[in-house]
Amino acid sequence: MKHFLFILLSAFLLGTSCAPVVKNTIVKKYPALEQDEEVSVYFDKNKIPPNAELLGSIKVMDSGFSINCDSVSVVRFIKDESRKAGANAAYVFEHLRPSFWGSSCHQMNAAALRINGDSCSLANTTALFVDTVNVKPERKLSKITLYLAGGYGWRTAELSPDLDGFLKEYYEKLASGFVCDASFNYYFNDMFGLGLLYSAYSTSNSEYAHDTKSGATGYLNANDLISFIGPVFSMRMFYNTQWIFDMGLGIGYIGYTSKLTFPGMNTKITGSSVGSQANLGVEYKFSKDWGIYLNISSLSGVLNKLKFDNNGMKETKTFETGKGESLDQFRMLLGMRYHIK
């Protein structure tokens, strides 16, 4: 299941590592230019030749998760779109520069121009253009999110082959249970942020049993809790600011507590280690501040040491390398997210 989530995370990164959005408003077209024909791009209106013919506009914007959007790449997009319209020049009249608090992309508005060979064939159009405006884009998504969700989780580790039929069936019922997540996230810009996540997996089972060694009979009760807390690095993209897709990768503390009771027996097992968390999610914002959020996630960790407290008798068991107690899980959750601008 970890490999499955890794594939999904990879697909998310590949799928969202896309080019910026390009929008054109072309009112007049000429035959398209060849790909190797030069297109002049002007940032100073005073350098535009007087025989420039205005064909329309080209706008290159951040898609919400664009990465191929440095200034050179954006100018290349403008040149490519200009060639399609038969324009051999472009004038950038608006340049939105990257901002730590906003988009990390260069975004540009440009006029597609046709420079004619006969300087007397057209009136001077330079006066139509305004000086290039350099602005910083505003944030479109919230700075802070608070999240609370619940769902179901499945432990993915295989059970010991030494368990007999009763114990194998008993522990299989402990291999799934309820999960809950709570997180706080602060986003540096519309794409990247850091947060703190608390996650808990809880399950229990109770079966009537007979101990063949002591002859005792009664209910064997088990209550397991696996908890995780740690920082998470978050990445997100959006569509119309209503649909938000994100992923998170975290590392932190993972703890395990199991309580077993049976007539004449009261045992507590504990352990802790460093764990990791990964998630993919989609949110639909139904209001300005609230959204409903669905995600799938994995939690990973291995305990190389367990502490036992059996009726007051304490001992510690250390596992050989590669033979520790796996706490790996796959989970699905549904919850609410609150946005603070």
Side-chain angles (χ1 to χ4, degrees):
M1 199 61 71
K2 287 189 295 182
H3 298 294
F4 171 73
L5 191 61
F6 176 77
I7 292 172
L8 286 179
L9 289 172
S10 300
F12 177 87
L13 289 172
L14 291 174
T16 56
S17 297
C18 55
V21 173
V22 179
K23 292 186 178 181
N24 298 336
T25 304
I26 304 298
V27 296
K28 184 176 181 179
K29 293 186 70 173
Y30 284 90
L33 305 183
E34 297 295 331
Q35 189 62 34
D36 58 352
E37 290 192 58
E38 181 57 33
V39 174
S40 300
V41 177
Y42 302 97
F43 286 85
D44 184 350
K45 73 171 186 176
N46 296 316
K47 294 183 179 181
I48 302 173
N51 55 335
E53 181 181 2
L54 179 61
L55 305 186
S57 64
I58 300 168
K59 189 173 186 178
V60 183
M61 303 178 297
D62 183 7
S63 67
F65 214 95
S66 306
I67 61 167
N68 191 20
C69 56
D70 57 276
S71 59
V72 174
S73 297
V74 172
V75 169
R76 185 173 64 248
F77 286 123
I78 291 173
K79 289 183 176 182
D80 290 341
E81 295 301 315
S82 297
R83 291 188 184 97
K84 294 176 184 178
N88 55 10
Y91 168 58
V92 176
F93 59 87
E94 185 178 56
H95 184 187
L96 285 75
R97 298 183 180 277
S99 167
F100 182 78
W101 303 111
S103 172
S104 61
C105 288
H106 286 265
Q107 302 175 77
M108 298 182 187
N109 259 334
L113 306 175
R114 176 83 174 189
I115 308 297
N116 295 279
D118 183 3
S119 62
C120 299
S121 61
L122 290 168
N124 189 339
T125 58
T126 306
L128 296 174
F129 303 117
V130 297
D131 292 327
T132 299
V133 177
N134 293 281
V135 296
K136 292 184 178 180
E138 295 182 0
R139 293 184 63 141
K140 297 179 180 179
L141 300 180
S142 59
K143 293 180 181 179
I144 297 173
T145 62
L146 304 175
Y147 167 61
L148 182 64
Y152 212 69
W154 297 265
R155 293 186 64 178
T156 57
E158 295 182 359
L159 295 175
S160 171
D162 299 330
L163 295 175
D164 60 28
F166 171 79
L167 287 179
K168 182 178 181 181
E169 182 178 348
Y170 185 86
Y171 281 107
E172 282 178 347
K173 294 180 179 179
L174 292 172
S176 61
F178 294 100
V179 295
C180 67
D181 280 4
S183 70
F184 165 89
N185 284 278
Y186 178 83
Y187 287 89
F188 307 115
N189 51 45
D190 280 341
M191 288 172 286
F192 303 111
L194 285 175
L196 182 66
L197 170 71
Y198 172 79
S199 180
Y201 166 95
S202 178
T203 186
S204 62
N205 190 21
S206 180
E207 299 282 349
Y208 193 79
H210 172 70
D211 187 347
T212 56
K213 293 183 180 180
S214 66
T217 59
Y219 282 94
L220 176 61
N221 302 302
N223 292 276
D224 288 0
L225 175 67
I226 299 173
S227 57
F228 171 88
I229 185 169
V232 175
F233 171 72
S234 300
M235 303 172 66
R236 61 183 177 178
M237 62 173 289
F238 61 90
Y239 176 74
N240 288 340
T241 68
Q242 276 191 306
W243 288 96
I244 301 173
F245 306 88
D246 64 12
M247 64 164 287
L249 297 171
I251 187 169
Y253 166 90
I254 189 168
Y256 171 75
T257 301
S258 180
K259 295 180 180 180
L260 297 168
T261 60
F262 187 72
M265 180 190 76
N266 192 338
T267 301
K268 182 178 180 181
I269 307 170
T270 58
S272 62
S273 183
V274 175
S276 62
Q277 186 268 357
N279 75 275
L280 281 173
V282 57
E283 176 187 4
Y284 175 73
K285 288 185 70 178
F286 56 84
S287 72
K288 177 184 176 182
D289 300 324
W290 290 94
I292 185 168
Y293 183 67
L294 172 68
N295 82 1
I296 58 174
S297 63
S298 71
L299 195 64
S300 301
V302 177
L303 301 178
N304 294 314
K305 183 169 62 176
L306 287 175
K307 296 180 180 180
F308 293 81
D309 184 341
N310 189 5
N311 294 333
M313 300 291 293
K314 297 181 180 181
E315 64 173 319
T316 299
K317 180 180 180 180
T318 302
F319 297 96
E320 296 179 13
T321 303
K323 295 185 178 181
E325 176 73 16
S326 172
L327 303 180
D328 294 0
Q329 303 168 34
F330 175 76
R331 301 108 54 80
M332 298 185 68
L333 299 100
L334 181 67
M336 300 291 292
R337 196 145 63 175
Y338 180 67
H339 296 258
I340 303 173
K341 189 64 175 180

